[in-house]
Amino acid sequence: MDQDPVAESLECFAARCADPAAAVYGRLFALHPEAEALFLMDPGGHVRGQMLAVAVEALLDGGGRLAGLVGIERMNHLNIGVPLALFDGFFNLLRAVVRDALGADWTPAMAIAWQARLGALAGEKNSDANHLAAGT
Ligand code: HEM
């Protein structure tokens, strides 16, 4: 039995969704059509797959070892034209896709655990990025 409801929800999502990456990026491009052009150099989807894998890893890690990596990626993404708000919204988008795919199997424990995990990730934002965004 899985101890972590976030991991449990992701496992359930992977088990019932034939193409998780297509579900995630389909929703991203529907909400933010401008983001699709950023992936023109990735026709095979390898970069997208890798990016999703790293984001999921960071999510499962909570505020642990990979929190610094997320902070660094925020800055890297700013440089390639991904605004901070869009970057940060990716984790919320992931939650929405997983929640919708699980339907009635999305439990209150999952909702609580996801909320806490998203909060932990937001709290670990790179302070350099915050200074930059604030112009300080
Ligand atoms: C909507 C939000 C996001 C957009 C539009 C976006 C866009 C992109 C783009 C265009 C690339 C390719 C960069 C290049 O090779 O020139 C990329 C790569 C990458 N992104 Fe994101 N990103 C987003 C959110 C995230 C998040 C939340 C993470 C979590 C850490 C992340 C992690 C990565 C990683 C690790 C790569 C490198 C993948 C590889 O080539 O191995 N991204 N992203």
Side-chain angles (χ1 to χ4, degrees):
M1 182 68 186
D2 226 310
Q3 296 296 312
D4 175 10
V6 174
E8 203 185 321
S9 71
L10 287 165
E11 278 159 24
C12 187
F13 174 56
R16 68 175 56 178
C17 180
D19 191 346
V24 170
Y25 289 100
R27 165 106 47 148
L28 175 65
F29 299 151
L31 290 172
H32 304 282
E34 76 284 3
E36 193 160 10
L38 294 168
F39 292 98
L40 285 177
M41 78 309 173
D42 183 36
H46 295 293
V47 170
R48 273 167 287 173
Q50 185 60 24
M51 184 177 121
L52 181 58
V54 171
V56 166
E57 225 183 302
L59 190 68
L60 290 173
D61 184 55
R65 190 175 56 87
L66 290 175
L69 173 84
V70 175
I72 290 164
E73 283 300 342
R74 284 182 94 225
M75 297 311 293
N76 288 341
H77 282 66
L78 199 54
N79 288 329
I80 59 165
V82 180
L84 298 180
L86 183 60
F87 181 90
D88 294 334
F90 191 77
F91 292 107
N92 288 62
L93 182 131
L94 205 51
R95 172 175 57 183
V97 171
V98 171
R99 188 182 54 210
D100 288 358
L102 264 58
D105 293 328
W106 174 259
T107 64
M110 288 174 186
I112 291 166
W114 268 86
Q115 192 59 40
R117 199 65 56 83
L118 296 189
L121 279 171
E124 293 289 346
K125 275 175 196 168
N126 185 308
S127 66
D128 287 348
N130 292 334
H131 285 304
L132 196 88
T136 56

